Amino acid sequence: MSDASRQDWDAWQVYFETTALLTARIEERLKQHGCSLMDYQVLLLLYGAPEHRMRMGELAHRLIFSPSRLSYQIGVLGKRGWVERRRVECDGRGFEAVLTAEGLRAFRELRPAHARDVQELFFSALQDDDAARLADLMRRVGGLLG
């Protein structure tokens, strides 16, 4: 048996159930705008990347996606005209995902509604230094995961 206490296991259960519910609610709201949470996350990462482009391997790593899952997701976004998959110009060996002008426009339209949803469903429950403490905790957990 584990060294974790009943309180620890209760915390795990609350974390697990709440993150699943929060993810589902955010997904529902994004879908009202014709976008999935994964679509939004790809757009967000590309929006923040230099020149709105990122190597496919780095993007897969950041999203915790397999290469095939990322290829599928980029294909979905490509059909909408939001993202292009291109050979990397500097070496010609790898591929990168590039946010198109249409993708940039779509992201800028989605961002305010998503920010309101996150404010309502997540930030509004935080008090005082909760955000800093939560960020610290998640960084520690992330450090264990590599």
Side-chain angles (χ1 to χ4, degrees):
M1 190 71 182
S2 143
D3 291 336
S5 69
R6 180 73 204 152
Q7 184 178 5
D8 292 339
W9 283 109
D10 288 347
W12 168 251
Q13 189 68 31
V14 168
Y15 166 82
F16 184 79
E17 291 174 1
T18 303
T19 56
L21 183 58
L22 179 61
T23 299
R25 291 284 165 79
I26 293 290
E27 179 83 28
E28 287 170 10
R29 292 191 180 193
L30 280 168
K31 285 195 180 222
Q32 293 173 2
H33 301 282
C35 184
S36 74
L37 185 55
M38 289 300 99
D39 295 340
Y40 188 85
Q41 191 65 14
V42 171
L43 296 176
L44 177 65
L45 288 173
L46 292 176
Y47 179 79
E51 299 180 35
H52 305 304
R53 61 182 64 228
M54 189 179 293
R55 284 182 176 266
M56 295 289 283
E58 172 66 13
L59 191 54
H61 175 75
R62 297 276 306 272
L63 292 165
I64 320 298
F65 276 14
S66 67
S68 62
R69 182 173 179 197
L70 179 62
S71 290
Y72 172 80
Q73 195 69 46
I74 295 301
V76 167
L77 293 170
K79 288 177 185 173
R80 292 186 193 156
W82 292 359
V83 174
E84 291 179 357
R85 184 175 181 264
R86 298 182 190 158
R87 279 212 177 271
V88 176
E89 292 175 8
C90 64
D91 67 17
R93 293 180 297 144
F95 286 91
E96 62 187 358
V98 181
L99 189 61
T100 65
E102 182 66 20
L104 187 58
R105 183 200 59 74
F107 178 75
R108 286 181 175 152
E109 287 180 9
L110 290 163
R111 186 171 46 177
H114 180 66
R116 281 189 304 272
D117 294 340
V118 172
Q119 177 64 44
E120 178 188 337
L121 299 172
F122 182 74
F123 293 134
S124 67
L126 302 182
Q127 301 173 359
D128 303 323
D129 67 340
D130 285 349
R133 289 182 21 238
L134 180 60
D136 179 59
L137 172 62
M138 298 314 295
R139 283 187 194 97
R140 285 186 278 143
V141 171
L144 292 174
L145 302 173

